[in-house]
Amino acid sequence: MDFSALKKIIAGYNTFVVTSHIMPDGDSIGSVLAFTLALQRVGKNAIAVVKDDVPRKYAFLAGADDIKRDFDGKCDVIISLDCGDEERLGFENKLKTYAGIVVNIDHHKSNSLFGDINIIENQASSVGEIIYHIIKDMTSIDLDIAQCLYTSIITDTGSIRYSNSTPCCVRILAELIEKGVKPDFISRQVFERRSIESVNLIKLSLDTLELFDNNRIASISITKEIMEKSGAKEEDTDGIINYAREIEGVEVAILFKERGEKLVKVGFRSNEWVDVGKIAEDFGGGGHLRASGCTLKMPLDEARSQVLNVVKKYLAGEGAWME
Amino acid sequence: MDFSALKKIIAGYNTFVVTSHIMPDGDSIGSVLAFTLALQRVGKNAIAVVKDDVPRKYAFLAGADDIKRDFDGKCDVIISLDCGDEERLGFENKLKTYAGIVVNIDHHKSNSLFGDINIIENQASSVGEIIYHIIKDMTSIDLDIAQCLYTSIITDTGSIRYSNSTPCCVRILAELIEKGVKPDFISRQVFERRSIESVNLIKLSLDTLELFDNNRIASISITKEIMEKSGAKEEDTDGIINYAREIEGVEVAILFKERGEKLVKVGFRSNEWVDVGKIAEDFGGGGHLRASGCTLKMPLDEARSQVLNVVKKYLAGEGAWME
């Protein structure tokens, strides 16, 4: 990774805004805070800006309370982290309205390269991993920064359960633990906090679990009634599909979320061989081999029946026939 | 860690039995298989013996199919892994009946030192971590062995979510990934397989979730009826207590498992400050600061009421008064 252009910018300017995408996650918040803290440590006037609510579970991170929701001033440099395009940052105007220089640091292949400098490392597990490499030559990584970087990496690797858990990022985790990070403390904050409403949602959702096609398909349907009855938030539906996906023998898991009388969001996951990206495409959606989604403008019952028919055909090896 | 005595034994003898405790887990199966494979690689006649069912989720590990359930022959050396005392290995007779030399390798402090050689490393995250250090000087760690060791370490550290996730064991994980281990593949096998019966158990158990004392106490009660209705196995109750523990604001989580008309097993977990080891001791049980348990010979209702009263007193800071 070559950071020489970025280093010159850091050396040459004084006011920095570090920002990331709306609907922030552990990697975006962790890397924004780590980089902001590091810039402050080397004497820069740096603030963190995220134009959305910061999930409460990241409130324990140093600097989280100082994240600004709004920014319409001027600065020398805006640094965008973990964001594929400028729009998803949520700023009212083009970034160049606010800053002389735009730096774009990301680990997603599909980045629109909107910066004056673009550092796109798609081999990195997380932006936290890239920021680690930048910071370690800038200043010493203290416990505050270490906790932010650790949070970035474990959230984007699912606590090293995902395929992006490379030797490099795992060694960085080891080093951050050496700096004083308590893995159990961070994991409790990030992974092990549920609202009672989210537990209600799990319970009511599991009541709708159905198996088809010799248990190779499992579906869960979250109706509007279930959302209301549980009192859960939209973010609480994250992960519910895994209860279906993890059942032994299941190849395709489907989550139906009823959003209106004629509006259903559908999520797909597969375990070993079915390309659920293609299935979602059949319905005008998209995604990857193992995770995808689409939106259907029809009642829940109709969406369920149409989607199940198509998934059954894919499982019967008739997917190609569909095209 | 000093393995010189063990190395001499390996060099000087030919037939080895590698074994571990009944009710085997990922660390015991992973370390038994890794060590057995390594001994075979250096030309020894080594077999793995576990006197219990091997959970199906570990069947993907190399050598798992060759684990013997029974052994009543003779060998030069028996190596016990991850086991605090001889009885828990499940052999009919004393180990010395079967072998000239007994080697005892463990990472639990409370080990009865029943071996001719005892290697007890309580700083190690897992026995897999100790075995890694032994094997790396014996033979090259191939992918088969690497997968076994990886399974050991991630199961005993909860995928580096527990406090025993040290820099040393995390670096070993990085090295094993370098040897070809796929973190996502192992995690799917080990953490992400549920029977439909276990999902039923979650659903029925969550119906019994109750909160007390301003949501600082959460309890779940698994009745005999729930076990029968769900069709779940005893091992499926593992982890259910976390649904209670992870609810925001909860300090003490309690799991009641009805085992008979007058027999209740109680599990306790705490998050930050209550010493649930002490609470369990009040009821004749035991455990640690954050995880403990006891068995009560009374009906479920009575057990619930007695336990809740005591837990409330501890939360009110009156624990000391109890003693």
Side-chain angles (χ1 to χ4, degrees):
Chain A
M1 303 186 192
D2 176 18
F3 306 125
S4 50
L6 174 64
K7 281 180 188 168
K8 273 184 205 157
I9 289 171
I10 293 173
Y13 294 89
N14 278 314
T15 57
F16 292 80
V17 164
V18 186
T19 188
S20 186
H21 56 79
I22 55 171
M23 299 187 71
D25 55 29
D27 188 26
S28 59
I29 297 295
S31 58
V32 161
L33 290 175
F35 208 6
T36 305
L37 290 170
L39 288 166
Q40 290 168 350
R41 298 279 188 281
V42 296
K44 302 296 171 180
N45 183 343
I47 58 167
V49 176
V50 175
K51 300 195 73 85
D52 203 341
D53 291 336
V54 174
R56 269 194 302 164
K57 58 182 160 189
Y58 306 118
F60 74 100
L61 291 172
D65 291 344
D66 301 324
I67 296 177
K68 304 269 182 270
R69 173 93 186 218
D70 291 307
F71 179 78
D72 55 8
K74 296 269 181 195
C75 62
D76 296 333
V77 184
I78 282 190
I79 301 176
S80 163
L81 302 181
D82 196 39
C83 193
D85 58 67
E86 208 172 326
E87 291 65 39
R88 216 180 152 225
L89 295 169
F91 283 72
E92 286 72 23
N93 303 302
K94 284 283 189 189
L95 292 184
K96 293 290 269 185
T97 326
Y98 310 99
I101 300 173
V102 173
V103 176
N104 168 20
I105 302 176
D106 193 12
H107 68 131
H108 298 99
K109 259 188 199 164
S110 54
N111 186 292
S112 70
L113 308 180
F114 56 87
D116 297 309
I117 295 183
N118 301 286
I119 299 175
I120 314 300
E121 299 284 346
N122 60 51
Q123 298 301 308
S125 64
S126 52
V127 172
E129 180 177 342
I130 307 171
I131 300 301
Y132 164 85
H133 290 293
I134 297 171
I135 292 180
K136 77 174 172 14
D137 295 334
M138 258 171 79
T139 179
S140 71
I141 293 179
D142 60 19
L143 180 56
D144 282 348
I145 293 175
Q147 287 196 325
C148 294
L149 295 173
Y150 194 91
T151 298
S152 276
I153 297 173
I154 57 160
T155 50
D156 254 29
T157 61
S159 207
I160 68 166
R161 290 190 187 184
Y162 303 156
S163 57
N164 61 350
S165 308
T166 59
C168 175
C169 80
V170 175
R171 286 205 175 92
I172 294 171
L173 292 176
E175 196 170 316
L176 298 173
I177 297 170
E178 235 155 30
K179 304 268 184 207
V181 169
K182 302 282 179 219
D184 54 323
F185 171 75
I186 305 274
S187 296
R188 270 204 306 280
Q189 310 309 314
V190 168
F191 296 119
E192 302 177 0
R193 288 163 64 103
R194 307 171 186 269
S195 64
I196 180 69
E197 292 81 10
S198 75
V199 176
N200 289 337
L201 179 68
I202 294 169
K203 189 174 70 182
L204 295 169
S205 301
L206 291 183
D207 277 332
T208 73
L209 176 69
E210 286 182 286
L211 294 163
F212 305 93
D213 205 25
N214 242 335
N215 293 3
R216 293 192 301 166
I217 305 172
S219 82
I220 290 175
S221 307
I222 305 181
T223 60
K224 287 190 72 170
E225 193 193 340
I226 287 178
M227 286 306 287
E228 281 157 24
K229 207 169 154 188
S230 65
K233 292 184 191 161
E234 176 56 29
E235 68 196 57
D236 296 326
T237 64
D238 284 359
I240 297 259
I241 196 169
N242 290 326
Y243 286 95
R245 184 180 63 77
E246 294 174 3
I247 293 172
E248 283 184 276
V250 167
E251 172 57 21
V252 178
I254 316 169
L255 179 68
F256 297 96
K257 292 197 274 189
E258 187 187 38
R259 287 296 176 76
E261 239 177 79
K262 289 191 174 181
L263 193 62
V264 181
K265 287 202 78 168
V266 188
F268 299 97
R269 297 288 184 279
S270 66
N271 279 321
E272 302 292 343
W273 62 275
V274 171
D275 181 349
V276 291
K278 280 198 177 159
I279 298 180
E281 277 172 28
D282 282 355
F283 291 101
H288 312 278
L289 262 180
R290 300 278 166 264
S292 66
C294 61
T295 302
L296 299 184
K297 289 179 179 167
M298 55 183 80
L300 178 61
D301 280 351
E302 202 178 321
R304 282 170 39 81
S305 134
Q306 284 200 16
V307 166
L308 278 166
N309 272 335
V310 170
V311 173
K312 281 177 191 168
K313 280 180 181 145
Y314 270 87
L315 272 166
E318 294 168 25
W321 170 85
M322 298 289 307
E323 288 163 26
Chain B
M1 302 185 194
D2 177 18
F3 306 125
S4 51
L6 174 64
K7 281 180 188 169
K8 273 184 205 157
I9 289 171
I10 294 173
Y13 294 89
N14 279 314
T15 57
F16 292 79
V17 164
V18 186
T19 189
S20 185
H21 56 79
I22 55 170
M23 299 188 71
D25 55 28
D27 188 27
S28 59
I29 297 295
S31 58
V32 162
L33 289 175
F35 207 6
T36 304
L37 290 169
L39 288 166
Q40 291 169 349
R41 299 279 189 280
V42 297
K44 302 296 170 179
N45 184 344
I47 58 168
V49 175
V50 175
K51 301 195 74 85
D52 203 341
D53 292 336
V54 174
R56 269 194 302 165
K57 59 183 159 188
Y58 305 118
F60 75 99
L61 292 172
D65 292 344
D66 301 324
I67 295 177
K68 305 269 182 270
R69 171 94 187 217
D70 291 308
F71 180 77
D72 55 8
K74 296 268 180 195
C75 62
D76 297 333
V77 184
I78 283 189
I79 301 175
S80 164
L81 302 181
D82 197 38
C83 194
D85 58 67
E86 207 171 327
E87 291 64 41
R88 215 179 153 227
L89 295 169
F91 283 72
E92 285 73 22
N93 302 302
K94 284 282 187 190
L95 292 184
K96 293 291 267 185
T97 326
Y98 309 99
I101 299 173
V102 173
V103 176
N104 168 20
I105 303 175
D106 192 12
H107 69 132
H108 298 99
K109 260 189 200 165
S110 54
N111 186 293
S112 70
L113 307 180
F114 56 87
D116 297 308
I117 296 183
N118 301 286
I119 300 174
I120 314 299
E121 300 284 346
N122 60 49
Q123 297 302 308
S125 64
S126 52
V127 172
E129 181 177 342
I130 306 171
I131 299 300
Y132 165 86
H133 290 293
I134 296 171
I135 292 180
K136 78 173 173 10
D137 295 334
M138 257 172 78
T139 179
S140 70
I141 293 179
D142 60 20
L143 180 56
D144 282 348
I145 292 175
Q147 287 196 326
C148 294
L149 295 174
Y150 195 91
T151 298
S152 276
I153 297 173
I154 57 160
T155 50
D156 254 30
T157 61
S159 207
I160 69 166
R161 289 190 188 185
Y162 303 155
S163 58
N164 61 351
S165 307
T166 59
C168 176
C169 81
V170 175
R171 287 205 174 93
I172 294 172
L173 292 175
E175 196 171 316
L176 298 174
I177 297 170
E178 234 156 31
K179 304 269 185 206
V181 169
K182 302 281 180 220
D184 54 323
F185 171 75
I186 305 275
S187 297
R188 270 204 305 281
Q189 311 308 315
V190 168
F191 296 119
E192 302 177 359
R193 288 162 63 105
R194 306 171 187 270
S195 64
I196 180 69
E197 291 80 11
S198 75
V199 176
N200 288 337
L201 179 67
I202 293 170
K203 189 175 71 182
L204 295 169
S205 300
L206 291 183
D207 277 332
T208 73
L209 176 69
E210 286 182 285
L211 294 163
F212 304 93
D213 205 25
N214 243 335
N215 294 2
R216 293 193 301 167
I217 305 173
S219 82
I220 290 175
S221 307
I222 304 180
T223 59
K224 287 190 71 171
E225 193 192 342
I226 287 177
M227 287 305 287
E228 282 157 23
K229 206 169 155 190
S230 65
K233 293 182 191 162
E234 176 57 29
E235 69 196 56
D236 297 326
T237 63
D238 284 0
I240 297 258
I241 195 169
N242 289 326
Y243 286 94
R245 183 179 62 78
E246 294 174 5
I247 293 171
E248 284 184 274
V250 167
E251 172 58 21
V252 178
I254 316 169
L255 180 68
F256 297 96
K257 293 197 273 189
E258 185 188 37
R259 287 296 176 76
E261 239 176 79
K262 289 191 174 183
L263 192 63
V264 181
K265 289 201 77 166
V266 188
F268 300 96
R269 296 287 183 280
S270 67
N271 279 321
E272 302 293 343
W273 62 275
V274 171
D275 181 350
V276 291
K278 280 198 178 161
I279 297 181
E281 276 172 29
D282 281 356
F283 290 101
H288 312 277
L289 261 181
R290 300 277 165 266
S292 67
C294 62
T295 302
L296 298 184
K297 291 180 178 166
M298 55 183 80
L300 178 61
D301 280 352
E302 203 178 321
R304 282 169 41 79
S305 135
Q306 285 201 15
V307 166
L308 279 167
N309 273 335
V310 170
V311 172
K312 281 177 190 168
K313 280 182 181 144
Y314 270 87
L315 272 166
E318 294 168 25
W321 169 84
M322 297 290 305
E323 286 163 26

